[in-house]
Amino acid sequence: MTPQTLMLNFLGLHVLGRDIAVYSGSVIDVFRRVDVSEEAVRSTLTRMASRDLLAKHRNGRKVYFGLTERATGVLRDGERRIWQRGAVNRDWDGTWTLVGFSLPEGRRGARHDLRSRLQWAGFGPVQNGLWIAPGTRDVTEMVADLGLAENVTVFTAQHAKPTEAADLARRAFDTTAIAARYQDFLARWREPDAALPDDLARQLLLHADWLDLVRQDPHLPAELLAQDWPAIEAEQLFQALATRYAATAGPIAQAAIESIDVSGRPARAERRPAG
């Protein structure tokens, strides 16, 4: 995992929803637990601040970092994916969102960017220039950001004979690879790494691992997948461990994380509970 991936999960766990900024030195201390160097932490904090994901605050000679509005949106999206959307789609109504596009060879970069964004949004290629995703998906902002409104056609539809929904899912998505990622998660977390120093480290890695996994999952309808689809067991395991670590990592985070209040009240350095 990249330091930024870990950083976003750290912020989601211990900063999101609190009017605080955290001292860079205490972030370094936390990340030392998962073998991320001080140099990598400082570089990540600086880079995220330059991208309007973090705001710098000074208190005396110390530098603290708090969330920006943009970062809060990113973290809330991750929160929804983990706790509301879930790993298994049990509410599919038979509808697909289709995105068709045609871009000339001279716009290869734009085509690559569009494909990358579609994949990130849970779409898969059913044939050249036609991508699909189960359910109704809003791609308005994505298309506008890329400046491709005139090159893209978006509509919703239902499959019809002789096309079968399960065949569409297999053609557009590598279900074998998706299942393998969940199996890998199960293999890693059935017996959490005892070599890690404490449950704060385990909590951080668990959440980063799970969020990365569900963000790669197109959320295919359960009815199109095998009955023993490993996402079901993996989600149960994640939730059990997340609940455990929410209790055990809290006191460790409270001792490790130094913060200041950035709500507008007089700021003061303090240790704050994380759970």
Side-chain angles (χ1 to χ4, degrees), residues 73-249:
V74 171
L75 296 176
R76 290 297 184 197
D77 176 65
E79 192 175 57
R80 285 190 294 271
R81 286 176 185 255
I82 289 177
W83 297 111
Q84 296 177 25
R85 185 171 182 256
V88 182
N89 183 351
R90 297 184 175 89
D91 302 315
W92 186 52
D93 63 359
T95 299
W96 299 89
T97 299
L98 292 83
V99 176
F101 58 91
S102 178
L103 292 164
E105 188 64 21
R107 302 192 67 186
R108 184 182 303 176
R111 189 168 60 222
H112 170 77
D113 290 343
L114 177 59
R115 287 171 174 166
S116 297
R117 294 283 293 273
L118 285 170
Q119 187 174 28
W120 183 253
F123 286 78
V126 69
Q127 62 187 55
N128 188 36
L130 181 63
W131 288 56
I132 63 170
T136 301
R137 310 286 180 99
D138 187 355
V139 298
T140 306
E141 184 176 351
M142 175 202 310
V143 173
D145 285 347
L146 295 172
L148 296 177
E150 296 182 358
N151 305 92
V152 171
T153 301
V154 183
F155 49 97
T156 58
Q158 293 185 330
H159 64 280
K161 297 291 185 181
T163 302
E164 298 291 344
D167 292 335
L168 277 176
R170 282 191 292 268
R171 287 166 57 189
F173 305 96
D174 189 343
T175 54
T176 300
I178 297 168
R181 289 196 290 268
Y182 282 109
Q183 294 289 6
D184 288 345
F185 178 89
L186 287 165
R188 281 193 299 276
W189 289 101
R190 282 195 183 105
E191 297 293 336
D193 190 351
L196 291 169
D198 54 36
D199 279 353
L200 178 56
R202 295 183 188 93
Q203 181 194 47
L204 179 57
L205 290 176
L206 172 74
H207 279 258
D209 202 3
W210 182 251
L211 185 56
D212 182 60
L213 182 58
V214 296
R215 277 183 164 155
Q216 294 183 68
D217 189 337
H219 210 228
L220 295 173
E223 63 198 75
L224 306 182
L225 302 167
Q227 289 188 346
D228 59 349
W229 186 243
I232 300 171
E233 182 184 355
E235 185 172 53
Q236 292 170 345
L237 177 60
F238 165 76
Q239 291 177 348
L241 290 174
T243 300
R244 180 199 304 177
Y245 295 150
T248 58

